[in-house]
Protein backbone atom coordinates (compact mmCIF):
# COMPACT_ATOMS: atom_id res chain seq x y z
CA UNK A 1 0.00 0.00 0.00
CA UNK A 2 1.27 3.37 -0.92
CA UNK A 3 2.09 6.07 1.61
CA UNK A 4 1.58 9.85 1.22
CA UNK A 5 5.23 10.37 0.32
CA UNK A 6 4.98 7.75 -2.43
CA UNK A 7 1.85 9.43 -3.81
CA UNK A 8 3.62 12.84 -3.93
CA UNK A 9 6.63 11.29 -5.72
CA UNK A 10 4.27 9.61 -8.17
CA UNK A 11 2.61 12.99 -8.93
CA UNK A 12 6.03 14.58 -9.53
CA UNK A 13 7.08 11.74 -11.84
CA UNK A 14 3.89 12.10 -13.84
CA UNK A 15 4.64 15.81 -14.18
CA UNK A 16 1.47 17.12 -12.56
CA UNK A 17 1.67 20.80 -11.58
CA UNK A 18 -0.67 23.19 -9.90
CA UNK A 19 -4.33 22.40 -9.79
CA UNK A 20 -3.95 19.14 -11.64
CA UNK A 21 -1.40 18.01 -9.03
CA UNK A 22 -3.77 18.92 -6.18
CA UNK A 23 -6.67 17.03 -7.79
CA UNK A 24 -4.44 13.99 -8.33
CA UNK A 25 -3.19 14.11 -4.69
CA UNK A 26 -6.76 14.52 -3.35
CA UNK A 27 -8.00 11.62 -5.44
CA UNK A 28 -5.10 9.36 -4.41
CA UNK A 29 -5.37 10.41 -0.77
CA UNK A 30 -9.10 9.64 -0.87
CA UNK A 31 -8.32 6.19 -2.31
CA UNK A 32 -5.66 5.68 0.38
CA UNK A 33 -8.15 6.55 3.14
CA UNK A 34 -10.79 4.25 1.61
CA UNK A 35 -8.28 1.40 1.42
CA UNK A 36 -7.26 2.04 5.03
CA UNK A 37 -10.92 2.10 6.13
CA UNK A 38 -11.61 -1.13 4.21
CA UNK A 39 -8.58 -2.73 5.83
CA UNK A 40 -9.74 -1.64 9.29
CA UNK A 41 -13.30 -2.81 8.55
CA UNK A 42 -11.93 -6.17 7.36
CA UNK A 43 -9.88 -6.45 10.56
CA UNK A 44 -12.93 -5.57 12.67
CA UNK A 45 -15.02 -8.12 10.76
CA UNK A 46 -12.29 -10.74 11.19
CA UNK A 47 -12.10 -10.04 14.94
CA UNK A 48 -15.89 -10.23 15.18
CA UNK A 49 -15.94 -13.54 13.31
CA UNK A 50 -13.13 -14.88 15.50
CA UNK A 51 -15.04 -13.85 18.64
CA UNK A 52 -18.20 -15.52 17.30
CA UNK A 53 -16.23 -18.66 16.43
CA UNK A 54 -14.73 -18.75 19.92
CA UNK A 55 -18.18 -18.22 21.45
CA UNK A 56 -19.58 -21.09 19.33
CA UNK A 57 -16.68 -23.33 20.31
CA UNK A 58 -17.16 -22.44 23.96
CA UNK A 59 -20.89 -23.14 23.71
CA UNK A 60 -20.24 -26.45 21.92
CA UNK A 61 -17.68 -27.42 24.57
CA UNK A 62 -20.18 -26.59 27.31
CA UNK A 63 -22.80 -28.72 25.52
CA UNK A 64 -20.30 -31.59 25.14
CA UNK A 65 -19.42 -31.30 28.81
CA UNK A 66 -23.11 -31.28 29.78
CA UNK A 67 -23.76 -34.36 27.62
CA UNK A 68 -20.76 -36.09 29.18
CA UNK A 69 -21.97 -35.26 32.70
CA UNK A 70 -25.49 -36.43 31.82
CA UNK A 71 -24.10 -39.70 30.46
CA UNK A 72 -22.06 -40.16 33.64
CA UNK A 73 -25.15 -39.44 35.78
CA UNK A 74 -27.15 -41.94 33.74
CA UNK A 75 -24.37 -44.52 34.05
CA UNK A 76 -24.22 -44.04 37.83
CA UNK A 77 -28.01 -44.32 38.02
CA UNK A 78 -28.00 -47.53 35.95
CA UNK A 79 -25.15 -48.98 38.04
CA UNK A 80 -27.01 -48.12 41.24
CA UNK A 81 -30.17 -49.77 39.88
CA UNK A 82 -28.18 -52.86 38.81
CA UNK A 83 -26.59 -53.06 42.28
CA UNK A 84 -30.02 -52.75 43.88
CA UNK A 85 -31.41 -55.52 41.66
CA UNK A 86 -28.40 -57.70 42.45
CA UNK A 87 -28.88 -57.16 46.21
CA UNK A 88 -32.57 -58.01 45.88
CA UNK A 89 -31.76 -61.14 43.87
CA UNK A 90 -29.20 -62.23 46.48
CA UNK A 91 -31.74 -61.61 49.25
CA UNK A 92 -34.32 -63.63 47.32
CA UNK A 93 -31.83 -66.48 46.84
CA UNK A 94 -31.01 -66.38 50.55
CA UNK A 95 -34.68 -66.50 51.50
CA UNK A 96 -35.28 -69.35 49.02
CA UNK A 97 -32.39 -71.30 50.57
CA UNK A 98 -33.79 -70.70 54.06
CA UNK A 99 -37.24 -71.80 52.86
CA UNK A 100 -35.80 -75.01 51.36
CA UNK A 101 -33.89 -75.70 54.58
CA UNK A 102 -37.03 -75.23 56.66
CA UNK A 103 -38.98 -77.43 54.25
CA UNK A 104 -36.32 -80.12 54.53
CA UNK A 105 -36.46 -79.89 58.32
CA UNK A 106 -40.23 -80.21 58.25
CA UNK A 107 -40.03 -83.18 55.92
CA UNK A 108 -37.29 -84.73 58.07
CA UNK A 109 -39.40 -84.35 61.19
CA UNK A 110 -37.08 -81.92 62.93
CA UNK A 111 -39.81 -79.28 63.01
CA UNK A 112 -43.48 -80.05 63.48
CA UNK A 113 -45.69 -78.36 60.95
CA UNK A 114 -48.42 -77.20 63.32
CA UNK A 115 -51.72 -76.02 61.84
CA UNK A 116 -51.22 -72.67 63.56
CA UNK A 117 -48.04 -72.22 61.45
CA UNK A 118 -45.79 -71.78 64.46
CA UNK A 119 -43.37 -74.46 63.28
CA UNK A 120 -42.61 -75.41 66.88
CA UNK A 121 -39.59 -77.65 67.41
CA UNK A 122 -40.18 -81.09 68.65
CA UNK A 123 -37.44 -82.98 70.42
CA UNK A 124 -39.43 -86.25 70.24
CA UNK A 125 -40.92 -85.97 66.74
CA UNK A 126 -39.06 -88.35 64.50
CA UNK A 127 -36.01 -88.41 66.75
CA UNK A 128 -34.66 -91.85 67.50
CA UNK A 129 -33.34 -92.59 70.96
CA UNK A 130 -30.44 -94.97 71.48
CA UNK A 131 -31.52 -98.42 72.56
CA UNK A 132 -30.26 -99.75 75.84
CA UNK A 133 -29.36 -103.45 75.75
CA UNK A 134 -31.14 -105.69 78.25
CA UNK A 135 -29.42 -106.29 81.56
CA UNK A 136 -27.70 -109.68 81.70
CA UNK A 137 -27.06 -110.88 85.18
CA UNK A 138 -23.52 -112.04 85.77
CA UNK A 139 -22.24 -110.36 82.65
CA UNK A 140 -23.21 -106.68 83.26
CA UNK A 141 -22.47 -104.47 86.26
CA UNK A 142 -25.79 -103.24 87.70
CA UNK A 143 -24.48 -99.75 88.64
CA UNK A 144 -23.13 -99.15 85.13
CA UNK A 145 -26.34 -100.45 83.53
CA UNK A 146 -28.49 -98.16 85.73
CA UNK A 147 -26.28 -95.18 84.89
CA UNK A 148 -26.82 -95.92 81.17
CA UNK A 149 -30.54 -96.30 81.77
CA UNK A 150 -30.67 -92.85 83.42
CA UNK A 151 -28.65 -91.32 80.57
CA UNK A 152 -30.54 -92.92 77.65
CA UNK A 153 -33.95 -93.43 79.16
CA UNK A 154 -36.93 -91.50 77.76
CA UNK A 155 -37.54 -88.11 79.29
CA UNK A 156 -40.77 -86.36 80.06
CA UNK A 157 -40.93 -82.63 80.84
CA UNK A 158 -37.15 -82.62 81.20
CA UNK A 159 -37.13 -85.28 83.94
CA UNK A 160 -36.07 -88.92 83.79
CA UNK A 161 -38.74 -91.51 84.26
CA UNK A 162 -36.40 -93.49 86.34
CA UNK A 163 -34.95 -92.03 89.49
CA UNK A 164 -32.09 -93.76 91.19
CA UNK A 165 -32.41 -94.22 94.93
Amino acid sequence: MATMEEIVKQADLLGYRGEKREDYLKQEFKLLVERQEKKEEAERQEKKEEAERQAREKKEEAERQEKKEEAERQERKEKKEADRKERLELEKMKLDAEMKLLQAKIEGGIIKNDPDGSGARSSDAGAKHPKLPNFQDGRDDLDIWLTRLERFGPRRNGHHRFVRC
Side-chain angles (χ1 to χ4, degrees):
M1 183 173 347
T3 62
M4 278 301 286
E5 290 176 4
E6 291 172 347
I7 293 172
V8 171
K9 283 183 187 178
Q10 185 72 24
D12 290 341
L13 286 174
L14 292 173
Y16 292 131
R17 303 269 179 243
E19 208 177 294
K20 200 171 189 183
R21 183 175 185 208
E22 283 181 35
D23 289 341
Y24 176 78
L25 291 176
K26 284 180 187 178
Q27 183 183 9
E28 288 299 315
F29 180 70
K30 185 178 178 183
L31 289 174
L32 180 66
V33 169
E34 287 175 2
R35 280 186 239 142
Q36 184 66 28
E37 286 175 352
K38 284 181 182 179
K39 181 181 175 186
E40 289 173 357
E41 179 62 29
E43 287 175 357
R44 280 192 300 273
Q45 184 65 27
E46 189 176 307
K47 285 181 182 179
K48 180 181 175 183
E49 289 171 359
E50 178 65 19
E52 289 173 352
R53 185 188 60 77
Q54 287 178 352
R56 272 192 318 273
E57 287 176 356
K58 191 174 183 179
K59 181 180 178 182
E60 289 170 356
E61 179 62 29
E63 289 173 353
R64 280 192 298 273
Q65 184 67 25
E66 181 62 31
K67 286 179 182 179
K68 180 181 175 184
E69 290 172 359
E70 180 62 31
E72 288 172 354
R73 280 192 296 272
Q74 185 66 26
E75 186 177 330
R76 282 192 304 269
K77 182 180 177 182
E78 289 170 359
K79 185 177 185 303
K80 188 177 180 181
E81 181 65 21
D83 288 346
R84 186 185 70 78
K85 285 181 180 180
E86 185 177 341
R87 280 193 312 273
L88 288 173
E89 187 64 29
L90 287 173
E91 186 66 25
K92 181 182 176 191
M93 290 170 59
K94 182 181 174 183
L95 290 173
D96 286 345
E98 288 177 9
M99 180 74 114
K100 287 178 183 178
L101 180 63
L102 286 173
Q103 188 67 30
K105 286 181 179 181
I106 289 171
E107 289 172 2
I110 297 172
I111 299 176
K112 281 187 177 176
N113 193 7
D114 294 337
D116 66 356
S118 66
R121 291 194 171 268
S122 171
S123 60
D124 295 335
K128 294 185 176 181
H129 297 286
K131 293 185 178 180
L132 183 66
N134 294 330
F135 177 75
Q136 295 180 359
D137 194 22
R139 186 170 160 225
D140 292 326
D141 183 8
L142 184 59
D143 286 334
I144 292 173
W145 190 85
L146 288 173
T147 303
R148 284 186 189 149
L149 178 64
E150 289 174 356
R151 202 175 319 143
F152 295 117
R155 298 177 183 216
R156 289 201 180 145
N157 298 328
H159 299 293
H160 291 288
R161 251 198 277 176
F162 306 105
V163 178
R164 198 169 177 185
C165 301

